Amino acid sequence: MRKVDLLIIGGGPAGLAAAVSAYEQGCRDILILEREDTLGGILRQCIHNGFGLHTFQQELTGPEYAQKYIDRVIDYQIPYQCNTMVIEITKEKQVTAVNRSNGLQHFQAKAIILAMGCRERPRGALAIPGWRCSGIYTAGTAQKFVNLEGIMPGARVVILGSGDIGLIMARRMTFMGAKVLACVELLPFSSGLKRNIVQCLDDYDIPLLLNHTVVDIAGRERLEGVTVAQVDPETKRPIAGTEQYYACDTLLLSVGLIPENELSRMAGIDLCADTGGPSVDENLQTSVSGVFSCGNVLHVHDLVDFVSEEAAKAGAKAWRYITDTLDKNLKSMPIISGFGVSGAVPQKIHVGNADQPVTLMFRPKNVYKNAKVCVTAGEKEIYRHSSRILTPGEMVSLKLTPEALRQISDAENLTVKVEAS
Amino acid sequence: MLKEITCIGCPIGCRISAVLENGEIQSISGYSCNVGKKYAQEELTAPKRMVTALMTVRGSRHPLPVKTSQPIDKSKIFDCLNEIAGHTVSLPVHIGDVVLPGVCGSNVNIVATKELL
Amino acid sequence: MLDVIIIGGGVIGCSVARSLARYDLKIALLEKAADICEGQSKANTAIVHGGYDAKPHTLKAKYNVLGNQMFGTLCTELDVPLKWNTSLVVCFSEDDIPKLEALKKQGEINEVPKLRIIGREELHKREPSLSPNACAALLVETGGIVCPYELTVANAENAAENGVLFYRNAEVTKIEKGDSCWVVKSKAGAFETKAVVNCAGLYSDAINAMVSEDAFKILPRRGEYYILDKKYADVFHASVFQLPTKLGKGILVSPTVDGTVLIGPTAEDILDKSDIRTTPQGLAKALKFGSLTWENIPLRDVITTFSGIRAHSDRDDFILGEAPDAPLFFNASGIESPGLTSSPAIARDLADLVAERLDAKENPNFNPIRKAIPKFREMDDLERAKAIAANPDYAKIVCRCETVTEAEIREAIRRPVGAQTIDGIKRRTRAGMGRCQAGFCTPRTIQILCEELNLSPLEITKFGEDSKLLHSYLFGKGEQRHA
């Protein structure tokens, strides 16, 4: 059993930023375990630009953004193992991993940071009727084929779901000579960024069909076409008579991301039904002491910049845990997602631990114009901010100041909610 | 000529319309802040885009991701992509290396965005 | 000249192949699809039935009970996972208890052992997740679950190891009477053979019609299913049926040997035998009736949906034996549920019959033992370390949802009757069968197939024919082979 102070599971943007931050705080015994053959995670295949405006005040592509962190990991000589899969984590912070050069390895960590990212919701989970032919991919898998393998999955494409990866792939497939016929979205709004809708769809005259879905898949062997129908915005049921057939050989799915928490579940970590990730406190510590979580395994982010910021915090707090300087035995209170709020992170907060601001993130449940975001502790309002628009496509990130946090000690809980006008 | 665009300044996505004559804006409406007005002025008169693409690498089955060193005219996107597609790069390459100078006869270079050794 | 040609590589064809390999015969199996186990054997309820449901004195009743008794030994010899988890037939109204009694009586006539009616209390103690509306059940101690594709593949591998030749992409187009033999013409060439065994499933009526006037018809009946995440592996212990209807055993909710939960099937008579589509109506129905057993089915954890087609015959029973007007042409037709359970007994009797008619001697070298591909996910630490030391590919996990290593995938390709398609790998290793449904592992699996079979990624298919996965290289440039 090898001992290590800080074990980081995942060498994507979250894992890298956590490692860099822990190192900069003073941690010298770190190990990053990465399942792919190089560091960088999903950014390796995100070759489009738009990353890093917050963090580096520069517009970078995914590989460039990742490289900035990889360079620091290498400069600091932080050890990492690629092609390494973690297969077990226990409550006692023992970790089992495998790779070709070391075989089966057992680690005893003082602290663990979970940074495994997320996966895409597949066709099966949507139960779309029709044939089970080839030519149906999640947008991310298609992105990997095109950008990393240099292979086009198809030539005539329909995209189901208007998440950012789907939008980005609409443009990429168009760039690479494919014809993208439509982007089909079940909801009355897109969950993608406005910029991506304009620059990936509008620029290339790709229609965005809101309140529509794919109701049938044709093609015994390779996909031959899909039937798209309008849905009732209330019930989400297809409206008979609105069916349109699109002849296509490829259907890309961009219908949601799911934090990948099988290892967390194995370790007995409490998971939050709203986010799909672990329930954490303001230090990003999970229900298992010394196990921290950040990035898309905690909750799905829109911007990698926010992932880096969150991960840096996890790294710093893990170091404080290791050095036993993290405040303990404080009273904790739950953070409740109120009206219009989905999946607030963190899920709880410690009272009296108010030397630093606490970042609270959530996704609006709907589109709200000229709305206010409020945080209340019992009857007391400790935060209020007006916003011209809130949409599910853009995560809200707010900071509770130490002054605000000092007012909450006698409350039962904190509630974050939207006040729509 | 009436032109309509969606503002990308924030998630509201205002529909901004403008009347253009000889490429010059005569009147503009629909924006709700200065960010929108400025975006619309640029977007309507001289729209530009950063282009990211893939380039063939000699002797490798993995392509090299590349980008324009600065935004190019939106109308030139496909010319730019065609020129990149016709080009092959040799290893090694580092981030920022110019792999295709002066794309489409402009002063914009195509640079590598990934290290391939 | 061959002694026997088996037409069809489903669980019946592959079981017959293995049983015939016990005799000193030259045997070939012809399968029309790109892989074995591409028809109803891959898409069914995966239950080893007790035998209470079949009408007494039918072949279904006889072979169900016989097959059930053979399953334990069979799965030990073939190293196939089998679990005697019991079956329950539940009813939701006190008024239906007489129907359970009748079912029990029928089972007893069929000589199903240890049938028992249990009341509400015992039922809910056994199955706490069962809907509170369930008030009584027939308990079938001899009910079990098995992996139908692993069983089919295991039979095929063992048959191949004992000398049976397998031809895939070998659709039979014509059977002619030759010079004291049959001439079987197929897409893989023409073969002369003394005997033919028709195990062609849904198409066995067409094959029979090539040689016999004694016609029967296969009426395709479609069933649609849901599969739920392994998270729910422990929610149900038994396979829970509802009282049977005219069209079948009704919608069940059952654990699978792989830890997922199966809900289905519906029963719908259709016209097109190849129409394995799922439909909005079918899926809704499966869910509606499944919810009677399991209230609030967690739909957000659905992994996939599929449909399977049963080969229901117009004779309403299995059709087994030599055709009356075609000597040495044997049928194993109309095999629908409980066909999987019956398969070892059908195969044994049919093989014995064929061997007797050919006056065949026993094969002294027959080895009944087949070892499964060692599964990394089932090993303990010591076994894992050993496996990795012997083959470092065991340290490379390709499918993270099901923890399938590169070693297992490569072996699945290299084995006799090995995988050549993405679906073939899936059925042999479970790679891509988990919750991400192959999103992460497909690119790597394609690469491994290319290396092992010396193919280009553009040639790799999901299940043969035109089910190609990829379209072209970027810029239409350089098709480079991997290996």
Side-chain angles (χ1 to χ4, degrees):
Chain A
M1 180 96 53
R2 190 180 141 190
K3 290 200 161 90
V4 58
D5 281 354
L6 178 58
L7 201 63
I8 298 175
I9 303 176
L16 292 169
V20 164
S21 152
Y23 183 92
E24 287 172 352
Q25 296 291 315
C27 189
R28 289 294 174 272
D29 185 15
I30 307 174
L31 178 61
I32 306 170
L33 301 177
E34 165 56 41
R35 60 194 161 204
E36 293 292 325
D37 54 6
T38 50
L39 295 174
I42 207 69
L43 288 176
R44 299 175 318 129
Q45 68 187 55
C46 298
I47 65 162
H48 55 282
N49 65 318
F51 301 92
L53 278 167
H54 288 70
T55 313
F56 299 110
Q57 287 76 51
Q58 257 184 294
E59 210 175 340
L60 302 170
T61 65
E64 290 173 309
Y65 186 96
Q67 197 61 44
K68 289 202 177 271
Y69 284 91
I70 295 171
D71 286 347
R72 278 155 84 182
V73 164
I74 290 168
D75 276 355
Y76 295 157
Q77 300 182 313
I78 299 173
Y80 61 90
Q81 294 182 1
C82 289
N83 283 311
T84 303
M85 183 76 92
V86 171
I87 53 177
E88 195 181 358
I89 304 176
T90 70
K91 258 186 156 51
E92 292 72 36
K93 296 187 279 292
Q94 289 171 358
V95 172
T96 309
V98 282
N99 67 27
R100 275 206 177 87
S101 35
N102 306 82
L104 201 63
Q105 306 176 88
H106 299 281
F107 300 98
Q108 174 67 61
K110 285 187 186 156
I112 294 174
I113 294 177
L114 304 173
M116 293 91 76
C118 59
R119 64 166 175 269
E120 299 171 278
R121 191 178 300 275
R123 175 205 173 172
L126 304 176
I128 307 170
W131 293 93
R132 299 222 297 168
C133 45
S134 67
I136 303 167
Y137 290 105
T138 56
T141 302
Q143 190 178 47
K144 185 171 186 179
F145 274 121
V146 177
N147 294 352
L148 295 182
E149 306 282 329
I151 303 178
M152 288 290 279
R156 280 176 71 84
V157 186
V158 168
I159 298 177
L160 174 59
S162 61
D164 286 312
I165 318 172
L167 301 175
I168 292 289
M169 280 311 289
R171 179 175 60 187
R172 180 63 57 208
M173 295 296 280
T174 306
F175 275 10
M176 293 298 147
K179 173 77 187 160
V180 179
L181 303 168
C183 179
V184 180
E185 170 60 56
L186 181 72
L187 298 174
F189 48 82
S190 165
S191 58
L193 300 175
K194 189 58 82 181
R195 180 175 73 169
N196 286 337
I197 291 168
V198 169
Q199 297 197 347
C200 299
L201 299 183
D202 297 355
D203 273 5
Y204 308 100
D205 298 323
I206 300 167
L208 171 62
L209 306 175
L210 299 173
N211 293 313
H212 279 70
T213 193
V214 170
V215 294
D216 194 22
I217 289 172
R220 284 164 189 259
E221 292 158 16
R222 176 77 194 202
L223 181 67
E224 287 166 13
V226 297
T227 304
V228 172
Q230 204 177 326
V231 297
D232 181 314
E234 296 303 315
T235 63
K236 306 291 173 224
R237 294 238 173 82
I239 301 169
T242 62
E243 295 86 356
Q244 283 172 279
Y245 181 78
Y246 289 86
C248 60
D249 64 7
T250 306
L251 175 66
L252 298 187
L253 304 176
S254 179
V255 290
L257 300 170
I258 306 164
E260 213 166 24
N261 277 290
E262 280 65 40
L263 286 170
S264 321
R265 195 171 289 118
M266 211 187 262
I269 289 168
D270 291 344
L271 298 178
C272 166
D274 275 2
T275 58
S279 288
V280 293
D281 64 14
E282 76 283 5
N283 297 321
L284 303 169
Q285 186 167 212
T286 68
S287 63
V288 171
S289 154
V291 179
F292 298 77
S293 171
C294 57
N296 282 353
V297 77
L298 176 59
H299 55 151
V300 176
H301 296 65
D302 313 319
L303 296 178
V304 71
D305 301 77
F306 289 160
V307 168
S308 301
E309 189 184 321
E310 186 176 274
K313 182 172 193 176
K317 296 294 182 178
W319 175 239
R320 285 187 61 177
Y321 176 87
I322 292 165
T323 52
D324 208 20
T325 52
L326 204 59
D327 291 325
K328 277 181 286 197
N329 307 321
L330 296 169
K331 178 191 160 197
S332 79
M333 65 172 67
I335 298 178
I336 312 280
S337 294
F339 176 82
V341 171
S342 162
V345 172
Q347 285 81 358
K348 65 176 181 180
I349 187 166
H350 289 98
V351 182
N353 193 7
D355 54 332
Q356 283 176 15
V358 167
T359 306
L360 214 156
M361 295 177 94
F362 68 89
R363 242 168 233 290
K365 276 194 172 152
N366 214 322
V367 177
Y368 304 104
K369 283 191 176 154
N370 298 316
K372 294 183 182 69
V373 174
C374 311
V375 181
T376 53
E379 300 289 293
K380 211 178 298 169
E381 187 173 277
I382 62 163
Y383 177 92
R384 184 179 194 82
H385 184 78
S386 301
S387 196
R388 291 178 58 199
I389 188 152
L390 298 170
T391 87
E394 306 214 4
M395 197 174 240
V396 176
S397 173
L398 61 93
K399 277 202 167 54
L400 298 178
T401 59
E403 297 78 61
L405 291 167
R406 272 183 218 113
Q407 306 172 43
I408 66 174
S409 54
D410 48 354
E412 292 288 308
N413 58 50
L414 285 192
T415 301
V416 52
K417 64 184 180 205
V418 172
E419 278 181 14
S421 58
Chain B
M1 183 180 56
L2 184 75
K3 264 182 122 179
E4 280 211 334
I5 56 162
T6 305
C7 179
I8 63 167
C10 84
I12 294 177
C14 294
R15 291 294 289 175
I16 303 176
S17 39
V19 178
L20 274 87
E21 245 158 65
N22 302 325
E24 288 196 15
I25 296 171
Q26 303 299 313
S27 70
I28 183 163
S29 64
Y31 59 89
S32 49
C33 70
N34 278 330
V35 174
K37 189 175 179 186
K38 188 162 171 284
Y39 168 77
Q41 281 166 342
E42 274 179 26
E43 182 68 12
L44 288 165
T45 52
K48 285 190 186 321
R49 295 287 184 269
M50 285 290 288
V51 174
T52 62
L54 292 156
M55 195 176 263
T56 313
V57 178
R58 192 165 291 125
S60 166
R61 67 185 177 89
H62 300 291
L64 173 76
V66 297
K67 69 175 184 185
T68 49
S69 55
Q70 49 185 289
I72 61 161
D73 289 347
K74 194 178 153 192
S75 59
K76 291 262 174 66
I77 291 175
F78 283 94
D79 293 340
C80 171
L81 287 167
N82 280 334
E83 206 171 314
I84 294 170
H87 208 75
T88 301
V89 66
S90 297
L91 299 184
V93 253
H94 299 92
I95 288 179
D97 284 1
V98 174
V99 289
L100 175 58
V103 70
C104 298
S106 71
N107 59 354
V108 175
N109 297 327
I110 301 299
V111 297
T113 57
K114 188 177 170 180
E115 187 170 86
L116 276 181
L117 302 174
Chain C
M1 164 89 84
L2 291 160
D3 293 311
V4 189
I5 277 187
I6 299 157
I7 302 172
V11 71
I12 299 295
C14 294
S15 301
V16 168
R18 174 176 184 257
S19 292
L20 273 171
R22 292 175 188 273
Y23 294 95
D24 189 14
L25 293 168
K26 276 184 77 178
I27 307 158
L29 183 148
L30 308 184
E31 165 56 50
K32 88 176 153 67
D35 197 3
I36 53 167
C37 200
E38 272 289 357
Q40 59 177 332
S41 300
K42 77 169 178 196
N44 57 68
T45 312
I47 303 282
V48 183
H49 291 288
Y52 58 85
D53 182 58
K55 215 155 84 194
H57 316 301
T58 58
L59 291 173
K60 281 185 181 173
K62 174 184 166 188
Y63 282 102
N64 185 340
V65 176
L66 277 176
N68 182 294
Q69 290 162 3
M70 294 170 73
F71 244 84
T73 312
L74 177 74
C75 289
T76 308
E77 285 178 348
L78 294 180
D79 200 7
V80 169
L82 164 73
K83 204 170 156 195
W84 294 112
N85 68 323
T86 76
S87 300
L88 289 169
V89 186
V90 298
C91 68
F92 301 97
S93 150
E94 306 282 342
D95 299 346
D96 281 338
I97 293 177
K99 289 185 188 158
L100 291 182
E101 299 279 3
L103 211 53
K104 176 168 176 273
K105 191 157 283 166
Q106 177 167 282
E108 282 160 356
I109 297 171
N110 293 346
E111 295 182 22
V112 180
K114 293 187 277 187
L115 293 173
R116 194 153 66 82
I117 307 266
I118 59 174
R120 185 183 287 274
E121 198 178 334
E122 183 178 351
L123 180 57
H124 289 278
K125 211 172 127 197
R126 282 173 169 267
E127 301 294 345
S129 306
L130 194 59
S131 156
N133 298 328
C135 59
L138 173 64
L139 170 65
V140 187
E141 297 271 5
T142 54
I145 47 178
V146 69
C147 174
Y149 19 92
E150 181 141 12
L151 180 67
T152 306
V153 168
N155 269 300
E157 285 179 6
N158 186 242
E161 278 162 357
N162 283 295
V164 176
L165 303 169
F166 281 78
Y167 295 88
R168 290 174 278 185
N169 295 307
E171 182 178 351
V172 171
T173 50
K174 211 172 194 180
I175 306 174
E176 288 168 350
K177 197 86 199 106
D179 203 5
S180 66
C181 70
W182 293 108
V183 181
V184 177
K185 294 192 168 157
S186 83
K187 289 191 176 161
F191 300 85
E192 289 186 347
T193 178
K194 289 178 191 153
V196 174
V197 187
N198 172 18
C199 306
L202 285 160
Y203 302 91
S204 56
D205 53 353
I207 298 287
N208 178 67
M210 290 178 184
V211 300
S212 172
E213 300 285 315
D214 184 35
F216 53 83
K217 235 180 143 40
I218 299 295
L219 311 163
R221 184 171 282 174
R222 180 165 63 196
E224 302 185 34
Y225 296 85
Y226 280 85
I227 298 257
L228 272 83
D229 195 277
K230 283 182 169 179
K231 262 195 247 179
Y232 304 98
D234 298 325
V235 173
F236 287 94
H237 309 96
S239 304
V240 184
F241 294 83
Q242 298 166 9
L243 272 172
T245 66
K246 226 171 80 186
L247 283 174
K249 297 185 190 70
I251 305 273
L252 98 164
V253 177
S254 175
T256 69
V257 282
D258 300 302
T260 55
V261 181
L262 188 69
I263 299 171
T266 52
E268 179 195 359
D269 289 323
I270 56 170
L271 296 172
D272 177 355
K273 289 175 178 178
S274 65
D275 189 352
I276 52 161
R277 280 180 293 184
T278 49
T279 64
Q281 303 81 4
L283 292 174
K285 198 171 169 196
L287 213 54
K288 184 180 156 201
F289 285 94
S291 305
L292 296 177
T293 298
W294 186 13
E295 294 185 336
N296 306 316
I297 293 170
L299 282 180
R300 62 191 274 172
D301 287 309
V302 169
I303 287 184
T304 193
T305 56
F306 66 91
S307 81
I309 316 232
R310 287 98 107 181
H312 177 69
S313 84
D314 58 358
R315 296 188 188 171
D316 215 15
D317 198 3
F318 297 158
I319 299 163
L320 300 173
E322 198 164 358
D325 55 348
L328 292 176
F329 178 90
F330 302 85
N331 279 311
S333 303
I335 314 244
E336 60 180 328
S337 179
L340 179 66
T341 315
S342 305
S343 62
I346 291 174
R348 183 190 62 189
D349 284 7
L350 210 53
D352 288 351
L353 176 64
V354 174
E356 191 192 309
R357 292 279 285 112
L358 291 175
D359 204 12
K361 286 196 276 295
E362 282 200 16
N363 172 6
N365 299 322
F366 179 78
N367 175 12
I369 304 300
R370 170 261 185 190
K371 280 280 154 217
I373 300 172
K375 298 178 183 81
F376 186 81
R377 64 178 170 273
E378 290 174 1
M379 297 176 187
D380 63 26
D381 271 7
L382 205 69
E383 292 167 327
R384 283 176 172 170
K386 254 180 150 165
I388 293 166
N391 179 1
D393 283 348
Y394 262 108
K396 179 67 191 166
I397 289 163
V398 176
C399 167
R400 53 171 101 148
C401 302
E402 295 292 308
T403 323
V404 181
T405 63
E406 188 166 323
E408 292 158 68
I409 293 174
R410 289 193 188 273
E411 188 170 344
I413 302 168
R414 290 174 192 170
R415 286 212 161 193
V417 208
Q420 296 174 338
T421 61
I422 290 284
D423 282 358
I425 285 179
K426 193 165 105 174
R427 283 195 291 275
R428 285 168 180 80
T429 65
R430 287 194 66 72
M433 269 203 189
R435 44 178 77 96
C436 93
Q437 288 284 292
F440 282 117
C441 62
T442 299
R444 182 65 191 143
T445 313
I446 289 176
Q447 217 177 339
I448 296 170
L449 272 167
C450 290
E451 287 169 12
E452 291 288 329
L453 302 173
N454 191 26
L455 294 168
S456 130
L458 304 188
E459 295 170 288
I460 302 298
T461 65
K462 188 167 169 1
F463 49 83
E465 297 179 89
D466 288 325
S467 65
K468 290 200 173 72
L469 286 151
L470 297 167
H471 181 265
S472 53
Y473 287 93
L474 291 188
F475 323 121
K477 275 182 190 171
E479 177 165 331
Q480 292 139 335
R481 301 228 159 199
H482 283 250

